[in-house]
Amino acid sequence: MATQAKRRRVAGPAGSDDDPAPVASFLSWCQRVGLELSPKVAVSRQGTVAGYGMVARESVQPGELLFAVPRAALLSQHTCSISGVLERERGALQSQSGWVPLLLALLHEMQAPASPWSPYFALWPELGRLQHPMFWPEEERRRLLQGTGVPEAVEKDLVNIRSEYYSIVLPFMDAHPDLFSPRVRSLELYRQLVALVMAYSFQEPLEEEEDEKEPNSPLMVPAADILNHLANHNANLEYSPTCLRMVAIQPIPKGHEIFNTYGQMANWQLIHMYGFAEPYPDNTNDTADIQMVTVREAALQGTKVEAERLLLYERWDFLCKLEMVGEEGAFVIGREEVLTEEELATTLKVLCMPAEEFRAFKDQNGWEDDKSEEDSLTITDIPKLKASWRQLLRDSVLLTLQTYATDLKTEQDLLSNKEVYAALSWREQQALQHCATDWNNLKNEDKYKLVRKIQA
């Protein structure tokens, strides 16, 4: 889901030439709508990692306001010029994504000559150049991203987008021909706008007392979505009743780029939703996934007779009942901890415990009096796990590594050879950065090595 500002690399490598007209028009629009930009910042293509970005004209200190966006300048289903009809017919616009009202707002405003947001649209990336994997040829997607889970996620996206367009969006546009010109009635354009919302929209977090409410709808935040992304960001977006404020959280020297972030995102999520991966090994939020069914497959390898296989499936079904595993879920391995610790620890416990112990555990519906300290799954504590747990975890990691098209040494050699790396296509570079990081988290030579921890 869309959360915070997205890196401009979703539109691919940008040219170096500045066209001052769109920026000047945007800055004039900012003044008209009350969007206050600090005199210490500049919107530019120069000095940024990719595309438009924001650069410090002068040194900025933590706590300084970089810009403030009044809520009236936000583009959402509630602020667009067709907000009334969207509200009246919201029941017919319900969807799995929850994005349909915003997407319809964008389809209407982008074709309206007098749209108040026209100067803002001029800074959007060229929709036909978005680099999300959903726009890659299927063969290229599967070849470059094999083993990452991204090709499978993209296929689901494409099915859902097509279904959403033909069952909800197109009937709505057909029912309101005065609001939508024929040129915006296109599945391809709709797919491009879905990718844009994936990569550039924001989703305001709920207050603590609102945790049980449905998530807020996504919205477009001019100026904020100009900022590129880094895990080690130097600015952060704050929400208030009257405006959204971008505030520096680190010292930003003159001439340096200003970066936002959108939370802890692994490289597979970045490349799936935004079309880029942070350079290896810079993404401190990166993870590697072990598919839950891979652990089941590794456990099945250790069975010798039909009775053992049947018992293993019984254990798996019980884990499903406890909602610890699922056919499409994954165990998430971070650099310093297992982010799905409870799920993985319970799975290893249930799959490895003696049959008699499993019967008793099942009779108690998974309840235990005390949790053993041996169950800890921080990376440093993995060598202390029971031998059977370590063996199953090791076998699962090795099965996961077999799904990748290349190995870590091959990818590190490519990354270290600047001439060869520069000759790769944009997509090949991003796939390489992502897959190298996955290998790094699962099996490498530094402190994050997982296989060696298991073998210890």
Side-chain angles (χ1 to χ4, degrees):
M1 293 295 291
T3 49
Q4 298 271 332
K6 312 304 185 287
R7 193 174 191 158
R8 282 282 166 178
R9 286 191 174 175
V10 294
S16 59
D17 293 334
D18 251 331
D19 180 358
V23 173
S25 177
F26 174 72
L27 295 178
S28 296
W29 177 81
C30 288
Q31 289 184 324
R32 291 197 303 271
V33 300
L35 197 163
E36 301 176 13
L37 286 167
S38 166
K40 291 188 175 183
V41 304
V43 176
S44 177
R45 285 183 182 272
Q46 303 293 337
T48 65
V49 293
Y52 284 112
M54 195 168 286
V55 178
R57 284 174 162 168
E58 303 175 26
S59 296
V60 177
Q61 297 304 312
E64 284 194 58
L65 178 66
L66 304 173
F67 57 84
V69 186
R71 286 191 175 268
L74 305 178
L75 175 49
S76 74
Q77 66 197 68
H78 305 296
T79 61
C80 68
S81 58
I82 60 169
S83 59
V85 67
L86 293 176
E87 176 62 24
R88 287 194 302 273
E89 301 188 28
R90 62 179 177 177
L93 302 179
Q94 298 297 314
S95 69
Q96 183 178 356
S97 70
W99 296 358
V100 168
L102 174 61
L103 289 161
L104 285 167
L106 296 180
L107 285 166
H108 173 76
E109 295 293 343
M110 68 185 295
Q111 48 120 54
S115 172
W117 288 276
S118 291
Y120 161 61
F121 298 151
L123 293 192
W124 274 8
E126 186 179 333
L127 295 179
R129 296 181 62 244
L130 295 174
Q131 287 294 325
H132 296 68
M134 71 168 69
F135 302 115
W136 302 9
E138 182 179 357
E139 181 279 328
E140 186 176 24
R141 189 163 60 231
R142 293 196 172 277
R143 173 170 52 86
L144 295 179
L145 299 174
Q146 178 182 329
T148 66
V150 174
E152 294 79 7
V154 169
E155 289 304 315
K156 291 179 184 176
D157 288 344
L158 293 174
V159 170
N160 291 336
I161 290 168
R162 182 180 182 85
S163 173
E164 188 173 86
Y165 177 75
Y166 283 112
S167 64
I168 304 174
V169 175
L170 187 57
F172 183 86
M173 290 194 290
D174 286 343
H176 301 281
D178 56 320
L179 300 179
F180 302 95
S181 69
R183 69 183 179 87
V184 300
R185 300 184 193 187
S186 157
L187 174 60
E188 181 60 23
L189 175 59
Y190 187 71
R191 185 164 34 233
Q192 292 169 351
L193 285 179
V194 168
L196 186 88
V197 169
M198 266 189 183
Y200 287 84
S201 70
F202 291 67
Q203 194 167 33
E204 187 167 358
L206 295 171
E207 300 292 340
E208 288 186 10
E209 61 272 14
E210 299 178 320
D211 280 348
E212 295 185 3
K213 288 179 57 179
E214 287 292 315
N216 287 314
S217 301
L219 44 84
M220 309 303 290
V221 185
D225 58 12
I226 290 174
L227 268 64
N228 288 310
H229 157 79
L230 276 182
N232 184 26
H233 57 296
N234 52 24
N236 197 50
L237 188 66
E238 299 178 354
Y239 296 83
S240 77
T242 59
C243 66
L244 279 60
R245 307 168 72 250
M246 190 66 70
V247 178
I249 59 172
Q250 293 185 33
I252 307 173
K254 178 181 179 179
H256 283 223
E257 186 168 4
I258 299 164
F259 292 99
N260 188 20
T261 189
Y262 42 88
Q264 297 181 342
M265 278 278 180
N267 265 357
W268 79 265
Q269 293 168 305
L270 293 176
I271 203 166
H272 170 214
M273 297 182 69
Y274 317 128
F276 78 96
E278 282 211 57
Y280 167 83
D282 293 350
N283 188 357
T284 55
N285 297 320
D286 205 18
T287 63
D289 289 0
I290 299 175
Q291 297 301 309
M292 291 175 172
V293 293
T294 300
V295 178
R296 183 182 65 192
E297 182 182 346
L300 281 169
Q301 290 180 345
T303 61
K304 299 178 180 178
V305 297
E306 183 65 16
E308 291 180 354
R309 286 190 284 273
L310 291 174
L311 178 57
L312 190 138
Y313 278 113
E314 182 182 348
R315 295 172 191 252
W316 186 262
D317 290 342
F318 181 65
L319 287 167
C320 290
K321 180 183 176 183
L322 294 179
E323 298 184 346
M324 291 292 157
V325 298
E327 293 298 308
E328 298 182 355
F331 300 114
V332 185
I333 313 296
R335 291 192 171 189
E336 297 180 356
E337 61 183 343
V338 178
L339 303 183
T340 51
E341 179 181 8
E342 180 184 5
E343 292 83 355
L344 182 54
T346 304
T347 299
L348 295 173
K349 178 197 293 286
V350 169
L351 295 183
C352 294
M353 62 176 47
E356 300 80 8
E357 188 177 338
F358 168 66
R359 298 294 180 199
F361 188 74
K362 186 177 180 182
D363 289 343
Q364 297 176 46
N365 205 30
W367 286 98
E368 290 183 305
D369 294 334
D370 296 299
K371 180 182 176 181
S372 169
E373 290 186 4
E374 295 180 351
D375 296 356
S376 173
L377 279 177
T378 60
I379 299 299
T380 54
D381 287 338
I382 282 178
K384 303 174 187 176
L385 296 176
K386 297 174 183 177
S388 59
W389 291 31
R390 292 203 314 273
Q391 184 64 46
L392 178 55
L393 188 54
R394 178 181 182 277
D395 292 345
S396 302
V397 170
L398 294 178
L399 281 177
T400 299
L401 293 176
Q402 290 173 15
T403 66
Y404 289 89
T406 58
D407 58 32
L408 180 62
K409 184 178 186 306
T410 300
E411 293 175 347
Q412 286 180 327
D413 288 345
L414 284 171
L415 287 169
S416 62
N417 190 324
K418 294 182 179 179
E419 185 176 339
V420 173
Y421 181 78
L424 297 176
S425 71
W426 168 262
R427 295 169 181 174
E428 288 171 331
Q429 290 177 356
Q430 300 311 299
L432 179 62
Q433 298 287 357
H434 165 47
C435 293
T437 311
D438 265 11
W439 271 96
N440 179 62
N441 285 344
L442 287 171
K443 183 183 181 182
N444 69 12
E445 303 304 322
D446 64 17
K447 68 177 181 177
Y448 304 129
K449 53 199 173 191
L450 183 57
V451 171
R452 286 174 178 260
K453 287 288 185 184
I454 297 168
Q455 292 174 324

